[in-house]
Amino acid sequence: MSPSLPSNAMRLAGRPTPDLILDEARMRRNIARLRQRLAPFGVVLRPHIKTAKSIDVARQLLTDGHGPATVSTLREAEALFETGVTDILYAVGIAPHRLERVQALRARGCDLAIILDSVEQAQAVAAASGAAAIPVLLEIDCDGHRSGLKPDDEQLATIGRILEEGGASLRGVMTHAGESYSARSIAELEAFAEQERLAVVTAAQHLRAAGLPCPVISVGSTPTAHFARNLDGVTEVRAGVFTFFDLVMAGIGVCTLDDLALSVLTTVIGHQADKGWVLCDAGWMALSRDRGTQGQAVDQGYGVVCDADGRPYDNLIVEAANQEHGIIALRPGSVEPLPDLPVGTVLRILPNHACATGAQFDAYTVLPADGGPLAVWPRFRGW
Amino acid sequence: MSPSLPSNAMRLAGRPTPDLILDEARMRRNIARLRQRLAPFGVVLRPHIKTAKSIDVARQLLTDGHGPATVSTLREAEALFETGVTDILYAVGIAPHRLERVQALRARGCDLAIILDSVEQAQAVAAASGAAAIPVLLEIDCDGHRSGLKPDDEQLATIGRILEEGGASLRGVMTHAGESYSARSIAELEAFAEQERLAVVTAAQHLRAAGLPCPVISVGSTPTAHFARNLDGVTEVRAGVFTFFDLVMAGIGVCTLDDLALSVLTTVIGHQADKGWVLCDAGWMALSRDRGTQGQAVDQGYGVVCDADGRPYDNLIVEAANQEHGIIALRPGSVEPLPDLPVGTVLRILPNHACATGAQFDAYTVLPADGGPLAVWPRFRGW
């Protein structure tokens, strides 16, 4: 940035706190980085909107305005569709009572696909398809993280047949390496990525061997998307939190603190000098209760403290959080003195988990990449 | 309830999930219980609106429609004032940049009082008072939980004089026994309550000895409000989470599971039979990331699982949560079999922390106390 431009601290001066700040330049860099990384593999990037829940962010994430996109709620799908996004994967196992809403969106021209992993769901989807086949990806469990069928489960073909013969449409397979969030080395990240790939490629082989179609082979998580060395057989990659990154991702080595595009603006409201505490007005209502770094090598408490320009204090974290109070303190074992942060000082907190912290706010206050005036980008929520 | 009335499960049938359910009859019982308990002490109950963040709930909490009320954000104060509530305490240490909003509310006729615990805040409040004195309670630290001055801190009188001589108004002292949440016995709860009382009574004595006024002596937390045996010298009691109660409060013995007025309605979306997992559509986006029972004798995971009528399964908790997935499993060490909960089964989850779970939703779906049709009560949020 040219020295003649105002600093971010100056641009943010006078904002009410707590506030959710989005550094657009960093976000653009994060998006460009993953696009560039995946380009040589010839796969489609299907960004997950669950992190940003914002039409303005989706415009930068989605290549041509029509998708492809991944969502975690039908509310996200409906909001995206209103702005012209038509290629959407709803990547949470379908509950039968939601099929009416799925069909309503599809009837309006949205190519919304769903996922499932059981015979009972497949029967419900076939029944709901009628004359209008609902496209389905079978969810595969690659790491024991949550849902999905094992890659060689014989139910795969059974479910595929229920769909295809019942009037629905088997579009392929998908998996999510949620356990990659616990990786502790580059080698482990690469191994998770290969495990993810192998799971869906294997499942696809079983389906094809049973004479079933499997055009889409979808994998995805931010860690594996950044460390996969081989994506043979994979047609698309999903990822969400890479849009903003966060301390959990920095903790497993997927990004550095300089990549974190989201922070919470806060004001110092008090001190407990004898304890080395600085109290600020970002409590868990602003930061969320997420403690995702608790099990990592470096526990970041409720977040890393930065000055108003976004420069981290090496040894300062939000040690504890009440509803509207954050308690800032030196990291355990730190020998440096507490910096002088009088009442009224404005700080920024880097969050553990961008999805959770973002959800505490109704909008982003955006530091635009072009250095222009602050913008406000609404977020949506609910289901 | 008469057998001829529909069950809660029937009343909730067909609701979208996840959804935030409020059992109004339980809420009314909780409110009546605390009022009855405090009546013999001759103190004012100043309910905290931070838990409910709802005008409809406030109407039942506030005696005469004008207050008194406690809030954690100016947004709450503004929302209450719009409906006629005029006696409000903003119980988070004041940041000087918020004084303009405080004065704007006061100029419109709201008797909004604020709190502080430092010379620099007092100077800012005096400067902002001008011809319109802002009433202030000094925050006292009774248990090392977060902010406040020690009850015998000599700065109390200094700050009091800055306020009184600078054009603001010293209205009294207040404290919050946040550490009472970690109590492990009735005796400890009673001790926390007495510690809370003694702290503010002592601080008031110091102020009065210095010739300063101290008409209001305010204590408050849900645990201490329910277990104080002596409130001599106290003029008002604040409490918030008692409105709904939650698993944290049940865990320390302030209420039983039958008192919990809030729950999250959820639908079963899958199974991992080999692991004993039932997956539901209430992840942390619905339940919040709060793990307040983690340090208690019984860790309730992300919540206790009930049937759609609200009857708890003795040994079933939400063991883990992703953004839109809850993983339901038997408690560790349980010997009972997993109940049969097919895809589509509707359940209700009792939350760890009512304030945090409530904040994940924009409205309550209310089971009215009179057995009438479901009502929707909006929630507000933000700052």
Side-chain angles (χ1 to χ4, degrees), chain A residues 2-361:
Chain A
S2 143
S4 63
L5 289 175
S7 69
N8 284 338
M10 288 167 65
R11 295 163 84 192
L12 293 170
R15 284 293 307 165
T17 58
D19 195 18
L20 182 65
I21 309 301
L22 171 55
D23 184 322
E24 189 193 18
R26 290 184 178 193
M27 178 186 81
R28 287 194 179 182
R29 201 171 68 202
N30 296 340
I31 296 171
R33 174 184 165 200
L34 185 57
R35 288 212 175 283
Q36 284 161 16
R37 181 169 200 283
L38 293 177
F41 294 104
V43 293
V44 169
L45 174 61
R46 183 182 286 277
H48 209 314
I49 307 300
K50 82 185 181 85
T51 305
K53 293 190 184 249
S54 150
I55 296 303
D56 301 278
V57 175
R59 286 205 181 96
Q60 302 208 27
L61 275 170
L62 306 183
T63 321
D64 70 353
H66 302 296
T70 311
V71 298
S72 68
T73 64
L74 290 180
R75 172 72 54 88
E76 292 165 45
E78 289 159 352
L80 287 178
F81 180 69
E82 292 302 327
T83 66
V85 179
T86 51
D87 178 3
I88 303 177
L89 174 66
Y90 170 42
V92 175
I94 194 72
H97 74 279
R98 273 192 262 274
L99 286 166
E100 200 174 326
R101 243 169 111 191
V102 168
Q103 284 291 48
L105 256 181
R106 291 191 51 79
R108 293 171 62 200
C110 181
D111 182 14
L112 177 66
I114 62 175
I115 72 169
L116 56 79
D117 65 358
S118 70
V119 165
E120 52 198 321
Q121 287 167 302
Q123 288 167 336
V125 172
S129 285
I134 300 173
V136 174
L137 303 192
L138 301 190
E139 185 174 10
I140 307 301
D141 177 12
C142 65
D143 60 2
H145 181 68
R146 58 180 185 216
S147 30
L149 293 157
K150 291 283 181 300
D152 56 358
D153 193 313
E154 60 190 21
Q155 281 197 91
L156 278 172
T158 309
I159 294 170
R161 275 190 214 100
I162 291 170
L163 291 169
E164 283 285 308
E165 293 164 10
S169 156
L170 178 60
R171 186 171 279 180
V173 290
M174 63 82 73
T175 195
H176 164 63
E179 287 297 307
S180 68
Y181 281 47
S182 62
R184 292 178 173 271
S185 66
I186 302 296
E188 275 187 44
L189 286 165
E190 291 176 351
F192 273 117
E194 178 57 13
Q195 187 175 321
E196 195 178 45
R197 184 192 75 83
L198 211 56
V200 276
V201 167
T202 302
Q205 283 166 350
H206 282 279
L207 287 172
R208 287 168 183 152
L212 288 159
C214 192
V216 174
I217 301 188
S218 177
V219 297
S221 78
T222 284
T224 54
H226 287 77
F227 285 90
R229 298 180 64 174
N230 173 15
L231 288 172
D232 288 355
V234 168
T235 66
E236 67 175 32
V237 171
R238 309 179 322 279
V241 79
F242 79 97
T243 317
F244 301 145
F245 282 125
D246 54 25
L247 293 174
V248 168
M249 288 298 116
I252 63 176
V254 180
C255 64
T256 66
L257 291 195
D258 286 343
D259 296 321
L260 271 57
L262 219 56
S263 59
V264 172
L265 195 74
T266 185
T267 303
V268 172
I269 59 170
H271 301 86
Q272 292 287 27
D274 55 333
K275 292 180 181 150
W277 286 359
V278 178
L279 289 112
C280 72
D281 68 358
W284 60 251
M285 188 63 82
L287 298 171
S288 91
R289 268 293 192 202
D290 199 284
R291 289 284 287 107
T293 56
Q294 193 167 22
Q296 293 192 327
V298 179
D299 182 346
Q300 306 282 22
Y302 282 89
V304 168
V305 181
C306 305
D307 66 17
D309 269 324
R311 283 183 297 256
Y313 290 96
D314 284 343
N315 278 315
L316 221 50
I317 60 171
V318 180
E319 182 183 86
N322 295 166
Q323 186 161 338
E324 298 294 347
H325 297 77
I327 298 179
I328 295 172
L330 293 171
R331 290 178 190 284
S334 174
V335 292
E336 294 171 33
L338 197 68
D340 184 33
L341 302 169
V343 165
T345 302
V346 174
L347 300 168
R348 283 160 70 187
I349 314 294
L350 299 175
N352 281 323
H353 188 173
C355 308
T357 301
Q360 302 300 104
F361 292 83

Side-chain angles (χ1 to χ4, degrees), chain B residues 280-361:
Chain B
C280 72
D281 68 358
W284 59 253
M285 189 62 84
L287 298 171
S288 92
R289 268 292 193 203
D290 200 284
R291 289 283 288 103
T293 56
Q294 194 167 21
Q296 294 190 327
V298 178
D299 182 346
Q300 306 282 23
Y302 282 90
V304 167
V305 180
C306 306
D307 66 16
D309 269 323
R311 284 183 296 257
Y313 291 97
D314 284 344
N315 278 315
L316 222 50
I317 60 170
V318 181
E319 181 183 87
N322 295 167
Q323 184 160 339
E324 298 293 348
H325 297 76
I327 298 180
I328 294 171
L330 292 171
R331 290 178 191 283
S334 174
V335 292
E336 294 170 33
L338 197 68
D340 184 33
L341 301 169
V343 166
T345 303
V346 175
L347 301 168
R348 284 161 71 188
I349 314 294
L350 299 175
N352 282 321
H353 188 172
C355 309
T357 301
Q360 302 300 106
F361 292 83

Side-chain angles (χ1 to χ4, degrees), chain B residues 214-236:
Chain B
C214 192
V216 174
I217 301 189
S218 176
V219 297
S221 79
T222 285
T224 54
H226 287 77
F227 285 90
R229 297 180 64 175
N230 174 15
L231 287 173
D232 289 356
V234 168
T235 65
E236 67 174 35

Side-chain angles (χ1 to χ4, degrees), chain B residues 180-194:
Chain B
S180 68
Y181 281 47
S182 62
R184 291 177 174 271
S185 66
I186 302 295
E188 276 186 42
L189 287 165
E190 292 176 349
F192 272 117
E194 178 56 14

Side-chain angles (χ1 to χ4, degrees), chain A residues 50 98 281 323 362 381, chain B residues 50 98 281 362 381:
Chain A
K50 82 185 181 85
R98 273 192 262 274
D281 68 358
Q323 186 161 338
D362 287 328
R381 70 177 201 145
Chain B
K50 82 185 182 83
R98 273 193 262 274
D281 68 358
D362 287 328
R381 67 178 202 144

Side-chain angles (χ1 to χ4, degrees), chain B residues 2 7 47 87 170 173 284:
Chain B
S2 143
S7 69
D87 177 4
L170 178 59
V173 290
W284 59 253

